[in-house]
């Protein structure tokens, strides 16, 4: 019963997202909510992608949220879980994680809205984004803590764990902040963020299954279904972009699953592609600033042709489709490693 409810709900999330594009994309065109492409990106992006509708992430955010609520109600009604009793904590973990993701998505929506209204690629300021994100993360942890979920240990393979005590919250807060923005950076070419996220969600569907966590598994499978539905419109050449609205939401789900499943280490393993995307930016900026000081020049050295790193491969002659495939395969390898680790850690 568990798997069929999840699969049907994911299929509905896929269908709703796909069908939403039929009227929502023309609606965005009518409002002239097109993406403004930065001049610092690959030159052909501005020529080919300028004006493509953005904020398409709204399509799968609504589909995932509605299907999650319906799936929980149906599963509870059929007696699969007692969400009013002993299984309440599991529902709170997944539900608060979804709310956190929706709040990140709303922040992304504000950022996108400002961009399209002002007709440039600058929305909320970096400080405004950080403050809002910190408040969202703090509210998420407060919800978990007040509901009685006070676990502060990080579990690792090979049977050992690291008890962090109160340090768990600031450390994991920084990890969530990094990962959410890393997912956002991955959304730089057609289909990439959706493809990588589908693979990540597949891995955590398996991990949640190993742990016997229906709610977390449902959230992962629904997000995968929504991303596949969105890919029908976002696959190269994209007819719509998810915008910060969609990528920030997906970043929230990525983190909610890792923390909610008590599998923070496995989250980092499965999220390697996202991590490398953001890390490439950090490395590029660091090398640029250091070499600028060393050589006393106005321009420092660059380790990559452009960051995030998918642009480096793009400028090296890779097509968007090839980047999507290679990055997704890399995510699949790391996701499989995370699942195998989960089997050794939690397998029954």
């Amino acid at each position: 019963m568990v798997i069929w409810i999840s699969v049907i709900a994911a299929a509905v999330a896929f269908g709703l997202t796909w069908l939403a594009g039929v009227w929502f994309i023309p609606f965005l065109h009518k409002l002239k909510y097109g993406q403004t492409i930065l001049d610092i990106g690959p030159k052909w992006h501005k020529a080919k992608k300028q004006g493509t509708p953005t904020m398409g992430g709204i399509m799968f955010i609504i589909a995932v949220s509605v299907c999650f609520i319906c799936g929980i109600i149906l599963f509870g009604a059929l007696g699969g879980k007692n969400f009013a009793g002993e299984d309440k904590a599991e529902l709170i973990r997944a539900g608060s994680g979804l709310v956190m993701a929706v709040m990140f998505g709303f922040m992304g929506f504000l950022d996108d809205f400002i961009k399209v209204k002002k007709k440039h690629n600058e929305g909320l300021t970096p400080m405004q984004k950080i403050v809002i994100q910190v408040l969202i993360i703090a509210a998420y942890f407060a919800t978990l803590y007040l509901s009685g979920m006070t676990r502060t240990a990080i579990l690792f393979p090979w049977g050992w764990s690291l008890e962090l005590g109160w340090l768990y919250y600031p450390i994991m807060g920084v990890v969530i902040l990094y990962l959410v923005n890393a997912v956002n950076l991955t959304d730089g070419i057609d289909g990439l963020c959706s493809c990588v996220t589908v693979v990540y969600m597949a891995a955590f569907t398996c991990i949640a299954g190993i742990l016997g966590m229906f709610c977390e598994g449902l959230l992962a499978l629904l997000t995968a279904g929504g991303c596949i539905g969105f890919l029908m419109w976002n696959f190269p050449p994209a007819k719509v972009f998810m915008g910060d609205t969609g990528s920030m939401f997906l970043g929230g789900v990525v983190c909610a699953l890792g923390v909610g499943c008590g599998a923070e280490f496995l989250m980092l393993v499965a999220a390697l592609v996202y991590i490398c995307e953001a890390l490439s930016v950090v490395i590029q900026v660091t090398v640029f600033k250091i070499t600028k000081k060393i050589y006393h020049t106005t321009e420092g050295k660059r380790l990559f042709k452009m960051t995030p790193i998918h642009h480096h491969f793009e400028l090296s002659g890779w097509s968007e489709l090839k980047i999507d495939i290679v990055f997704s395969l890399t995510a699949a390898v790391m996701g499989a490693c995370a699942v195998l680790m989960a089997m050794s850690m939690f397998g029954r």
Side-chain angles (χ1 to χ4, degrees):
M1 179 174 65
V2 175
I3 186 64
W4 283 113
I5 290 176
S6 297
V7 170
I8 292 171
V12 173
F14 161 79
L16 288 176
T17 305
W18 186 12
L19 291 174
V22 174
W23 66 268
F24 191 63
I25 294 174
F27 177 69
L28 290 174
H29 273 295
K30 186 177 180 180
L31 294 177
K32 298 182 179 179
Y33 280 7
Q35 179 75 41
T36 300
I37 306 298
L38 285 170
D39 290 324
I40 61 174
K43 291 180 173 53
W44 54 87
H45 277 207
K46 194 169 185 68
K48 295 182 178 180
K49 302 177 186 289
Q50 182 78 16
T52 301
T54 188
M55 290 191 272
I58 292 173
M59 300 189 311
F60 57 74
I61 291 176
I62 294 175
V64 170
S65 300
V66 170
C67 290
F68 180 80
I69 294 171
C70 292
I72 291 297
I73 292 173
L74 179 60
F75 192 60
L78 293 175
K81 292 269 188 178
N82 179 14
F83 293 124
E86 66 269 17
D87 299 311
K88 184 178 180 180
E90 180 185 338
L91 177 58
I92 291 176
R93 280 197 301 268
S96 59
L98 177 58
V99 171
M100 175 180 69
V102 171
M103 292 308 296
F104 277 128
F106 181 70
M107 190 208 78
F109 170 79
L110 292 177
D111 194 41
D112 287 333
F113 186 77
I114 294 171
K115 290 174 184 176
V116 297
K117 280 298 183 182
K118 292 185 176 180
K119 302 298 181 183
H120 60 62
N121 211 281
E122 294 179 6
L124 296 171
T125 67
M127 184 53 65
Q128 287 173 331
K129 291 180 182 179
I130 291 175
V131 170
I132 295 173
Q133 289 172 4
V134 169
L135 290 175
I136 293 172
I137 295 168
Y140 171 62
F141 281 137
T143 301
L144 296 182
Y145 185 84
L146 293 174
S147 65
M149 286 167 273
T150 57
R151 176 189 57 83
T152 55
I154 304 294
L155 303 179
F156 295 90
W158 312 292
W160 64 283
S161 63
L162 177 63
E163 177 58 55
L164 295 175
W166 65 269
L167 287 173
Y168 173 88
Y169 298 103
I171 290 174
M172 284 309 303
V174 171
V175 171
I176 292 175
L177 192 66
Y178 179 94
L179 270 183
V180 168
N181 288 285
V183 175
N184 178 242
L185 288 171
T186 305
D187 182 37
I189 60 174
D190 298 355
L192 180 59
C193 188
S194 298
C195 288
V196 173
T197 301
V198 167
V199 175
Y200 179 93
M201 294 302 156
F204 260 88
T205 298
C206 296
I207 292 171
I210 293 169
L211 290 165
M213 293 183 175
F214 169 77
C215 298
E216 303 288 354
L218 176 64
L219 179 58
L221 202 55
L222 288 175
T223 305
C227 284
I228 296 173
F230 185 72
L231 268 171
M232 299 298 102
W233 302 102
N234 185 239
F235 203 71
K239 296 177 179 62
V240 66
F241 298 143
M242 68 173 66
D244 286 0
T245 304
S247 60
M248 296 298 290
F249 170 81
L250 294 180
V253 176
V254 164
C255 297
L257 290 171
V259 175
C261 288
E264 293 88 349
F265 176 75
L266 300 182
M267 171 181 71
L268 296 177
V269 173
L272 182 66
V273 171
Y274 302 130
I275 293 171
C276 290
E277 287 275 33
L279 188 59
S280 68
V281 176
V282 175
I283 293 173
Q284 184 88 318
V285 172
T286 302
V287 170
F288 183 86
K289 289 183 176 180
I290 290 176
T291 54
K292 182 179 177 180
K293 288 183 178 180
I294 291 175
Y295 297 111
H296 303 288
T297 59
T298 56
E299 288 288 328
K301 301 293 183 180
R302 289 179 172 83
L303 188 61
F304 305 107
K305 294 180 179 180
M306 186 178 290
T307 56
I309 198 167
H310 57 257
H311 286 319
H312 171 83
F313 291 107
E314 194 176 12
L315 291 174
S316 298
W318 288 28
S319 67
E320 290 183 317
L321 181 58
K322 182 177 180 179
I323 295 171
D324 289 347
I325 293 172
V326 173
F327 278 45
S328 297
L329 289 175
T330 303
V333 171
M334 299 312 300
C337 290
V339 172
L340 290 174
M341 289 179 185
M343 292 174 66
S344 66
M345 293 166 63
F346 310 116
R348 295 185 177 92

